[in-house]
Amino acid sequence: MSTEELTGKLYDIQGFSVQDGPGIRTTAFLKGCPLRCPWCHSPESQQYYPQLSWISMRCQGTEICKERCIKACPKGAVEPAGERLDPKTNEMVKLIHVNRTLCDNCGKCAEVCYPNALYICGEDYTVDRLVKRLLQDKPFYDRSGGGVTISGGECLTQIDFVVEVAKRLKAEGVHIAIDTTGFASWETVQKILPYTDLFLYDLKHMDSEKHKAVVAVPNEPIIDNARKIAAAGGKLQIRIPVIPLFNSDDDNLRKTAEFCAELGDAVELVQLLPYHNLGVTKYLRISDDPVAEATPPSDEFMQRVKSIFEEYPIKHVTIH
């Protein structure tokens, strides 16, 4: 396949990002991930195909819209159901419901939804189109020491597309960060390694059986790839989601800190990410399935976690 034909599937592009690596960055979010983290704050990133999403607060009501979305659906998957109070008019608005067993994500309803309450999450980009969009923000990268972060989902599942985009951006002098779970073959990681200035690298649990039981995949490839990246001279910014009742016990925290220290100078920063439930509403946009929630860790607990990591020879440890 030529680079002109090569496409990648994205679900978002976020400009002026200051959370995904150094400086001001633009983050490209690719769809598809082999992990199934229950706390995922971007559930729309997990599947590889486009998905119909519905934001209830954008919905203007079936009476105002003349039921256009309901009439447009060839499967009868968009149904009238429920109400909400409109804070502007103080009147009840009749809403819709998407029957996920009937919906095939064709997007016909989204095409006629003028408030964009219904929209398709997932769009194909050519390499040229994405590179052109990312280079629009290059003045911000140059002035702030920033660049482009390619994220997901798990962006390495679309490795050929990612490599071509990164190669083109590097030729323009853009700093490249790859935000990854690390769950990929080493051959895949090797393809992107020459074009990567920094890996934003997730570590979720040091016990492979517990890792697989909760997030659906074992952790051996993740651990092995981190070691090989470090040995190859790559730079890592380790990200550790602190999840109550999963990986927040002292034994796992210390084993994780030991591993980060083992990687030596390759680890430029360890970020401790306290669990939050901000992604719960996103699940409701794409699914009717119930979502499990946990209690976010307290500030005091996170400070204690930080103090554990600071006992080990790690350059920098922050709570993000």
Side-chain angles (χ1 to χ4, degrees):
M1 180 182 294
S2 68
T3 57
E4 290 80 10
E5 299 172 326
L6 189 60
T7 62
K9 195 170 296 294
L10 281 75
Y11 70 93
D12 197 11
I13 298 174
Q14 180 179 316
F16 210 82
S17 173
V18 294
Q19 308 295 334
D20 297 320
I24 296 172
R25 314 187 68 80
T26 300
T27 303
F29 295 92
L30 277 64
K31 274 183 72 68
C33 183
L35 279 66
R36 289 296 179 266
C37 303
W39 59 85
C40 180
H41 63 272
S42 298
E44 70 274 29
S45 74
Q46 294 181 0
Q47 299 295 344
Y48 294 89
Y49 54 82
Q51 293 169 281
L52 179 66
S53 184
W54 178 63
I55 301 178
S56 63
M57 293 307 295
R58 290 183 184 172
C59 187
Q60 299 298 301
T62 57
E63 293 177 345
I64 294 176
C65 291
K66 310 298 183 184
E67 297 189 344
R68 284 184 295 183
C69 58
I70 296 174
K71 296 173 182 176
C73 180
K75 301 290 185 178
V78 183
E79 308 163 341
E83 296 180 325
R84 70 167 172 84
L85 182 67
D86 188 325
K88 294 181 180 180
T89 64
N90 204 35
E91 296 179 353
M92 298 304 294
V93 174
K94 294 182 179 180
L95 302 177
I96 62 166
H97 172 259
V98 179
N99 187 329
R100 298 292 174 177
T101 62
L102 297 177
C103 178
D104 63 0
N105 299 298
C106 72
K108 296 294 185 183
C109 59
E111 292 174 5
V112 299
C113 181
Y114 73 84
N116 203 33
L118 288 160
Y119 64 95
I120 290 293
C121 183
E123 182 179 355
D124 287 335
Y125 276 72
T126 64
V127 173
D128 285 348
R129 180 187 175 195
L130 182 57
V131 169
K132 181 179 179 180
R133 164 62 188 90
L134 297 174
L135 288 177
Q136 288 177 2
D137 298 337
K138 192 171 185 293
F140 296 106
Y141 314 152
D142 294 342
R143 294 173 187 173
S144 69
V148 166
T149 298
I150 305 176
S151 185
E154 173 48 70
C155 65
L156 297 186
T157 61
Q158 301 188 51
I159 186 60
D160 292 338
F161 178 76
V162 170
V163 167
E164 192 60 34
V165 170
K167 186 188 301 184
R168 295 270 296 274
L169 292 172
K170 288 304 294 180
E172 299 291 335
V174 177
H175 180 280
I176 303 295
I178 297 294
D179 187 1
T180 178
T181 66
F183 189 77
S185 69
W186 174 239
E187 290 74 22
T188 294
V189 177
Q190 281 182 304
K191 290 180 180 179
I192 194 61
L193 186 60
Y195 310 105
T196 305
D197 298 290
L198 179 67
F199 287 92
L200 308 181
Y201 205 89
D202 293 355
L203 287 181
K204 305 182 192 302
H205 206 292
M206 296 305 292
D207 183 288
S208 188
E209 290 186 6
K210 292 181 180 178
H211 196 280
K212 185 174 182 178
V214 175
V215 303
V217 300
N219 76 350
E220 284 88 356
I222 297 167
I223 299 300
D224 290 346
N225 284 336
R227 288 184 173 129
K228 290 175 179 177
I229 289 171
K235 296 300 180 182
L236 296 153
Q237 182 172 307
I238 303 292
R239 291 176 153 184
I240 302 167
V242 179
I243 313 298
L245 305 179
F246 172 57
N247 64 358
S248 60
D249 59 282
D250 280 14
D251 180 62
N252 181 68
L253 291 172
R254 290 191 177 279
K255 287 179 179 177
T256 307
E258 288 174 4
F259 178 71
C260 292
E262 172 196 327
L263 297 176
D265 290 339
V267 177
E268 298 192 335
L269 173 67
V270 171
Q271 289 182 309
L272 304 171
L273 314 176
Y275 164 82
H276 61 72
N277 55 15
L278 300 179
V280 171
T281 56
K282 288 188 174 183
Y283 283 90
L284 300 177
R285 297 177 185 177
I286 60 172
S287 173
D288 290 332
D289 296 333
V291 180
E293 294 186 61
T295 301
S298 66
D299 292 343
E300 292 77 15
F301 183 80
M302 291 304 301
Q303 288 296 334
R304 182 173 172 276
V305 174
K306 184 172 183 283
S307 69
I308 290 175
F309 276 78
E310 289 175 337
E311 294 176 19
Y312 296 82
I314 299 170
K315 289 180 184 177
H316 301 290
V317 182
T318 64
I319 298 173
H320 192 54

